[in-house]
Amino acid sequence: MTPATAAGPRTVHTPDASGQPAASGQSDTSDRSDTTTTTGAPARTGRIGRTRSAKLLLFFAPLLLLGVVIALFVYTSGAGLNVTPAAPIESVQFGRTELTPGIIRIHLRNTSPQAIRVAQVNINDAIWPFAITPSRDVARLGGATLTLNYAWVHGEAYDIAVLSSNSVAFTTAIEVAAITATTTGSTLWSFTLIGLYVGVIPILLGMFWLPLLRELGPRTMTFLMAATVGLLIYLGLDATVEALEIGGLLGGAFQGTGIVGIGIVGTWLLLDAIGRHQQSVTRSESGQRMSLAVVVAVGIGLHNLGEGLAIGAAYSVGAAALGTFLVVGFIIQNITEGLGIVVPIAKDRPSLRSLALLGLIGGAPAIIGAWIGGLVSSQALAVLFLSIGAGAVFQVAWSIGRNMLWKETGERSAPLVTFAGVLAGMLTLYVTGIVIK
C-alpha cells in the first residue's frame, strides 16, 4: 500500500487502457488519486472566480455603454438639434411663511432645472424692498429666505409675487395674517391639546359602543363591519386626493405624484407584512381578532397623523379660523374610527388596559402630526404623511374585508348587507363633509 492510500484520501478507480479499473493500491492509480484530490479545489475556485467576473462584466457593460451614449449625445449638442426652450423654465416652491410684528419672512426653494436670480418682490401689486439670505442667486434645489419689513394688519389677506431676473412671477398668499406660532412650551401644549381633541378623545368615545356591539345579531355586525370598510375607503380616497393636490404644488423635481405612490404602496405592504406576521404567531381566534384590531388601530393612527398635520399647518400660517373648523370636523368624523377599532373584537372581552392602548395607538399620532404641521411646515412632508395615511386605511379596509367581512358573507350569503354597509359608511362621511365644509 502506498503512503498516499494509507493517508486516507478516497481512492479513485481510473479505467486503464483495457477499460478495466485499476486495482486499488497500485502506484500509478495512487498518483492520479493524489493529483485529483490536491488540485480539484483550486480549479473550482478558479472557475467560480471567472464566473463572478463574467457576471460583473455582464452587469456593468450596458451601464458603461450607456455612459458612452450620453457623453456622445452631450458632445454633439443633442445630436445637432441644439434645442433650447423658447422661454426660461423656472419654478419655485414656497415653504413656511412667518409673521412677526412688522416683518414677513418667506422661505422658498428653487425647483427649476437651473439656478435662478430673485429680482423683485410685490405685495398686493406694489413693489416692496426686500432682503434675501443667503443670496439673490438660488441654486437648483437650493433654499432662500425673503425678509420683508411690512406693517401687516392682523386678519388681512396678502398676495405676494416673487419675480426672477427673467421676469417670471411666482405667487403665494397669506389668507389670514396672524403672528406665527413659535416653538415654546405653551405652543407645544396647545398643539398637544388639539391632538387630544381630534384623535384620542373621539376614538375613545367611539369605543364606548363596544358593550352595545355584543348585543347585536350577526347580520347587524356584518352591516357595521361593512360600514367600517366604507368609512375607511372614503378616508383613504379623501387623503389621496388631498395628497395629490398638495403634490401638484411641489416643483417638478420633487415629483409629488411619486411621493404619493411611494407612501401608499409602501405603507400597504408594510402593514400587510405586520398583519401576516402577527396572525402567524397568534393561533387562537381571539388572538387573531385582537391582532386585526391592532392593525386597524395602527392604520387609523397613521391616517390621524396626516389629520394632525393639516390642523397644525392651518394654525402655523395664521389660519386660526380654518384650524378651528378642521378640529370640529375631525372630532365629528373620528368618533366613527373608534367604532371601527372595536368591531373586530366585539365577540371578546378585552381588558380596559388593552382598549386604552388601542385608543392611544389610533389617536395619539394626531398629536405628533399637530406638532410637525404647526412647527415644521413642509409641503413635501405633508404629501408623504397624507399618502402614508391613505395607504394605511386602504390596507386596513382590505384586511377587515378579507378576514372578517367577505369571509363571513360567504358563509352566510349576505352580499346585499355588505353592499348596504359599505355604502352607508361612505355616505356617512360624505354627508358629514357637506355639513362641516
Side-chain angles (χ1 to χ4, degrees):
M1 181 176 293
T2 64
T5 305
R10 183 173 58 87
T11 301
V12 178
H13 297 277
T14 306
D16 56 15
S18 62
Q20 298 299 323
S24 175
Q26 294 180 357
S27 59
D28 57 342
T29 305
S30 300
D31 292 342
R32 293 190 187 100
S33 176
D34 284 345
T35 302
T36 303
T37 303
T38 55
T39 61
R44 285 196 298 272
T45 303
R47 286 196 296 273
I48 293 173
R50 287 194 296 272
T51 303
R52 288 178 178 172
S53 299
K55 288 180 178 177
L56 289 175
L57 180 62
L58 290 173
F59 178 77
F60 285 108
L63 299 180
L64 293 174
L65 292 175
L66 179 65
V68 172
V69 171
I70 293 174
L72 179 63
F73 182 81
V74 174
Y75 179 76
T76 58
S77 300
L81 295 177
N82 292 319
V83 176
T84 55
I89 301 174
E90 296 180 343
S91 61
V92 163
Q93 177 198 343
F94 289 98
R96 183 180 177 87
T97 299
E98 301 172 355
L99 277 72
T100 55
I103 295 177
I104 299 175
R105 190 172 289 108
I106 301 173
H107 299 267
L108 58 85
R109 187 169 298 280
N110 173 23
T111 55
S112 310
Q114 69 286 322
I116 65 170
R117 181 175 177 80
V118 177
Q120 180 179 315
V121 175
N122 295 351
I123 301 179
N124 289 347
D125 296 329
I127 299 175
W128 202 260
F130 66 95
I132 183 170
T133 55
S135 170
R136 283 175 176 259
D137 297 310
V138 186
R140 181 175 187 266
L141 301 182
T145 302
L146 289 168
T147 302
L148 309 168
N149 293 316
Y150 188 88
W152 55 271
V153 179
H154 181 84
E156 294 290 327
Y158 298 95
D159 294 322
I160 300 175
V162 178
L163 282 76
S164 72
S165 57
N166 292 314
S167 299
V168 178
F170 315 106
T171 59
T172 185
I174 300 173
E175 297 180 357
V176 183
I179 294 179
T180 304
T182 56
T183 308
T184 62
S186 175
T187 304
L188 288 176
W189 176 241
S190 296
F191 284 127
T192 302
L193 288 177
I194 290 174
L196 287 173
Y197 281 125
V198 172
V200 179
I201 293 176
I203 285 181
L204 290 177
L205 291 177
M207 295 172 71
F208 283 171
W209 280 318
L210 179 60
L212 177 63
L213 295 178
R214 298 195 183 102
E215 306 297 329
L216 302 178
R219 293 178 71 86
T220 307
M221 281 300 300
T222 300
F223 177 84
L224 287 178
M225 283 189 288
T228 301
V229 171
L231 291 172
L232 294 172
I233 292 175
Y234 194 94
L235 289 174
L237 292 173
D238 189 52
T240 302
V241 170
E242 190 171 355
L244 289 174
E245 288 179 354
I246 300 176
L249 301 177
L250 297 177
F254 288 100
Q255 306 171 73
T257 306
I259 297 177
V260 174
I262 292 172
I264 292 177
V265 174
T267 306
W268 175 295
L269 294 177
L270 178 61
L271 289 182
D272 184 67
I274 294 174
R276 290 177 186 273
H277 174 72
Q278 287 188 333
Q279 289 185 354
S280 65
V281 300
T282 306
R283 296 184 177 181
S284 66
E285 291 188 2
S286 61
Q288 291 186 357
R289 288 194 290 269
M290 178 56 77
S291 297
L292 180 59
V294 171
V295 174
V296 172
V298 170
I300 290 177
L302 291 174
H303 177 265
N304 285 334
L305 183 70
E307 290 184 349
L309 192 74
I311 295 171
Y315 275 103
S316 70
V317 298
L322 294 177
T324 303
F325 180 80
L326 288 174
V327 169
V328 175
F330 286 136
I331 288 175
I332 296 173
Q333 284 188 343
N334 289 354
I335 194 169
T336 58
E337 295 177 353
L339 178 64
I341 292 175
V342 296
V343 162
I345 52 176
K347 298 179 181 178
D348 308 315
R349 294 189 177 278
S351 64
L352 291 177
R353 181 174 176 272
S354 299
L355 292 174
L357 185 60
L358 289 173
L360 289 176
I361 293 174
I367 300 174
I368 302 173
W371 288 347
I372 298 174
L375 303 176
V376 190
S377 177
S378 169
Q379 289 181 325
L381 209 57
V383 173
L384 179 61
F385 284 166
L386 287 170
S387 305
I388 289 174
V393 294
F394 282 143
Q395 201 283 330
V396 170
W398 166 248
S399 296
I400 294 177
R402 181 189 61 186
N403 296 322
M404 303 191 70
L405 185 60
W406 284 286
K407 179 181 177 182
E408 294 197 0
T409 301
E411 295 173 353
R412 298 169 183 171
S413 301
L416 290 179
V417 175
T418 303
F419 164 76
V422 172
L423 207 61
M426 299 184 74
L427 285 173
T428 299
L429 288 187
Y430 178 76
V431 173
T432 304
I434 292 177
V435 173
I436 65 176
K437 291 184 179 179

